Amino acid sequence: MKARQLWFTDAYKIEVQEHVLPALESDQLLVKTHCSAISAGTEMLVYRGQLPYDIALDATIGALQQTQSYPLQYGYACVGEIEEVGGNICETWLGKRVFAFQPHASHFVSTPENVIILPNGIEFEAAVFLANMETAVNLVLDGKPILGEKVVVLGQGIVGLLLSSLLAKFPLSQLYAIDAIEKRRQCALQQGVNYVFSPNCVSQIAALKEALHLPVQLDATAKNAGADLIYEVSGATQALDLAIELCCFSGRIVLGSWYGSKSTLVQLGGVAHRNRITFMSSQVSTIAPELVGRWDKTRRFEVAWQMIGHVRPQSLITHKIPIEQAGTIYALLDQAPEDVLQAIFIY
């Protein structure tokens, strides 16, 4: 069996290569991919050569255990059907629709424990959002939004939009979103965000600060001033300073972005220190230690599937691209991200 595979061969260079897959072992499955989703935030780091060199691409996904070194495969949202099974696997697996944390490819070999069967009623194009919805669910678990809180989400890419759609279900006081791209801001409103703002517009940020009752001279003693909970999922390191400006006394800032090798100066000498702000990193590879007694990945996946059924995120797909045209969509994501919400490859 030959598979068409997407390879990142160098910064800003990709190829679709045809490789012969090895014969199935007795405990393996062959999956024919129907579609796979581009996770733009992370995959742009790969495309631009901005991944750190001293860390595995993912700590828990078997297909992504290698450290960053070109050429490499990437991607973690493939959906397809089981086309062939090894001798020790029951033939009832044939034809099952599955999700896998697998790099972009027309076919791939896996095992039963490394695929997730799609629930009834979940379409292929909805299922490709499982990885990002799991991340959004994890962000909610880590941030612990509370009744009546004021919450800000910095960044309305796909993870930000999914997160906003979940937060909109909470009885918050207000839910605000910030993004530089107009299309994303309008989509955020459709997901249930109360108000949206551009980080590049001084008057809009001033309006947000006024809505949050932030005084001109920040004062830790000011009551009900600032956002209780802020999520940074923009991938822009400079957004951290804005998060600090918007945060209330004893507020929480949840860092959901992976910046790769990007770095920046962050203003930690002013209100970040005096306002007793809590900074928390949220990463979907693990579950917060305080939750592991009640939560595991199986439970988190179950909730993610439920949320996919409620939110129907396939409405966010703006581009369906044959994998042979992969270079076109990566160039577009790099040069004109305002034109794309979610892109998927079709096979």
Side-chain angles (χ1 to χ4, degrees):
M1 166 62 66
K2 292 183 178 180
R4 288 165 289 145
Q5 301 172 343
L6 178 65
W7 285 82
F8 296 84
T9 57
D10 206 338
Y12 300 97
K13 294 182 180 179
I14 61 172
E15 294 179 7
V16 176
Q17 303 175 0
E18 193 170 76
H19 289 262
V20 177
L21 296 178
L24 287 187
E25 297 181 6
S26 60
D27 62 345
Q28 291 182 325
L29 312 163
L30 175 67
V31 181
K32 182 181 185 299
T33 307
H34 182 277
C35 55
S36 61
I38 297 175
S39 183
T42 306
E43 293 191 41
M44 282 295 100
L45 295 178
V46 181
Y47 181 70
R48 294 168 178 155
Q50 294 175 335
L51 285 177
Y53 286 88
D54 58 350
I55 189 171
L57 295 175
D58 192 278
T60 59
I61 298 174
L64 300 176
Q65 288 297 300
Q66 75 273 23
T67 55
Q68 195 262 57
S69 177
Y70 295 111
L72 61 87
Q73 291 181 272
Y74 200 75
Y76 48 79
C78 281
V79 180
E81 294 184 30
I82 295 175
E83 196 171 67
E84 187 179 338
V85 298
N88 289 342
I89 297 179
C90 180
E91 290 190 356
T92 57
W93 278 88
L94 289 170
K96 286 190 180 296
R97 304 178 312 132
V98 296
F99 174 96
F101 292 93
Q102 187 73 26
H104 304 293
S106 65
H107 299 77
F108 59 89
V109 174
S110 189
T111 58
E113 60 269 22
N114 286 322
V115 297
I116 301 171
I117 298 174
L118 273 58
N120 291 333
I122 300 293
E123 302 94 333
F124 281 129
E125 292 183 2
V128 294
F129 288 87
L130 179 62
N132 282 331
M133 183 61 84
E134 183 194 18
T135 298
V137 170
N138 195 66
L139 285 162
V140 173
L141 292 174
D142 284 344
K144 302 180 181 65
I146 297 172
L147 171 72
E149 285 196 317
K150 294 173 287 185
V151 180
V152 176
V153 181
L154 287 164
Q156 290 296 284
I158 291 300
V159 170
L161 287 168
L162 294 177
L163 173 61
S164 293
S165 72
L166 301 188
L167 291 170
K169 300 181 181 300
F170 282 77
L172 303 173
S173 171
Q174 293 290 347
L175 176 59
Y176 305 102
I178 299 175
D179 199 280
I181 296 174
E182 171 67 18
K183 179 183 289 188
R184 294 179 181 178
R185 295 197 298 271
Q186 292 306 311
C187 194
L189 292 172
Q190 295 168 11
Q191 302 304 307
V193 170
N194 299 119
Y195 301 99
V196 293
F197 303 87
S198 169
N200 299 327
C201 180
V202 173
S203 62
Q204 288 192 29
I205 295 302
L208 173 57
K209 290 180 177 180
E210 183 177 355
L212 291 171
H213 307 294
L214 285 167
V216 175
Q217 296 295 326
L218 295 180
D219 181 0
T221 63
K223 301 301 182 184
N224 197 34
D228 302 282
L229 172 61
I230 298 176
Y231 288 96
E232 202 303 279
V233 289
S234 71
T237 52
Q238 64 269 26
L240 291 174
D241 279 337
L242 179 56
I244 291 168
E245 290 180 33
L246 299 176
C247 196
C248 72
F249 178 76
S250 192
R252 293 108 65 208
I253 297 177
V254 179
L255 307 175
S257 294
W258 186 25
Y259 304 113
S261 61
K262 295 182 292 183
S263 63
T264 190
L265 294 175
V266 179
Q267 300 299 318
L268 297 176
V271 292
H273 175 67
R274 291 190 176 183
N275 276 5
R276 304 180 70 91
I277 294 172
T278 297
F279 294 86
M280 175 191 305
S281 65
S282 177
Q283 216 288 321
V284 73
S285 295
T286 56
I287 293 173
E290 63 268 26
L291 294 178
V292 294
R294 295 176 289 114
W295 283 81
D296 57 17
K297 290 191 176 184
T298 298
R299 181 179 181 184
R300 194 170 63 185
F301 278 131
E302 289 173 353
V303 173
W305 283 128
Q306 292 170 11
M307 294 303 99
I308 285 173
H310 288 313
V311 173
R312 297 187 61 80
Q314 59 267 44
S315 64
L316 301 176
I317 297 173
T318 53
H319 294 72
K320 301 178 185 180
I321 309 295
I323 193 171
E324 291 77 10
Q325 299 175 20
T328 302
I329 193 64
Y330 281 105
L332 184 64
L333 285 166
D334 179 54
Q335 299 166 17
E338 66 276 7
D339 294 336
V340 186
L341 282 177
Q342 176 66 67
I344 66 172
F345 292 125
I346 53 177
Y347 299 85

